[in-house]
Amino acid sequence: MLRNIDPILSPDLLHALRAMGHGDDIVIADANFPGTSVGPECIRADGSTASEVLRAVLSVMPLDSFVPNPALTMQVVGEPDIVPDAVADFQNIIDEVADNRVPVVGLGRFAFYERAASAYVIVQTGERRLYGNIILKKGVIS
């Protein structure tokens, strides 16, 4: 155990967060997301929700302030204006925890998958709420 580090941040996840550079993306995905087949390394966090992992990640990682949309979620297929419960929760967590409090922006399903495929890492959670997926762009610490 370490002081002031959320225990949800496993050794593998802490390593990935530390190894990421400015501008790299991390995907926090729900239990239905094709985390292993999309492409980048997939770290399992089955015992945690996406919201728990998001809160833990934002406690140590800055959000990019040099791009317009550093927090992206997956839009509901066929109803892009709907805000799923998980996405509303993500926004509340960003507003509470992030150093760069930005609105989450939705991407269509396949655009989200394409963006996820080029991420540094995917964290596959046990999140059971639909559309519980978010991509974060790492910022810099000044």
Side-chain angles (χ1 to χ4, degrees):
M1 296 298 292
L2 298 171
R3 291 185 189 138
N4 303 317
I5 301 290
D6 192 311
I8 288 174
L9 299 174
S10 68
D12 291 338
L13 182 49
L14 281 171
H15 179 268
L17 290 167
R18 181 63 178 97
M20 288 172 64
H22 171 236
D24 282 340
D25 288 339
I26 180 172
V27 179
I28 301 171
D30 65 25
N32 291 303
F33 192 80
T36 303
S37 64
V38 167
E41 176 187 5
C42 182
I43 296 172
R44 302 298 301 203
D46 298 295
S48 300
T49 68
S51 292
E52 291 168 333
V53 172
L54 175 63
R55 183 176 296 279
V57 166
L58 289 177
S59 75
V60 297
M61 188 191 89
L63 276 180
D64 200 330
S65 60
F66 295 107
V67 296
N69 301 310
L72 302 167
T73 58
M74 185 186 295
Q75 294 172 336
V76 175
V77 175
E79 299 182 272
D81 295 329
I82 299 275
V83 178
D85 291 342
V87 174
D89 198 28
F90 295 161
Q91 185 64 67
N92 288 334
I93 292 166
I94 288 170
D95 293 344
E96 291 172 21
V97 180
D99 58 334
N100 181 18
R101 292 173 173 92
V102 297
V104 295
V105 173
L107 286 178
R109 177 179 174 211
F110 294 109
F112 190 94
Y113 288 155
E114 185 176 316
R115 181 75 176 261
S118 65
Y120 184 86
V121 68
I122 294 173
V123 181
Q124 181 94 50
T125 72
E127 180 63 64
R128 295 181 65 178
R129 294 177 295 179
L130 298 178
Y131 297 97
N133 308 296
I134 188 166
I135 299 174
L136 305 173
K137 185 167 291 296
K138 185 177 183 183
V140 297
I141 296 175
S142 53

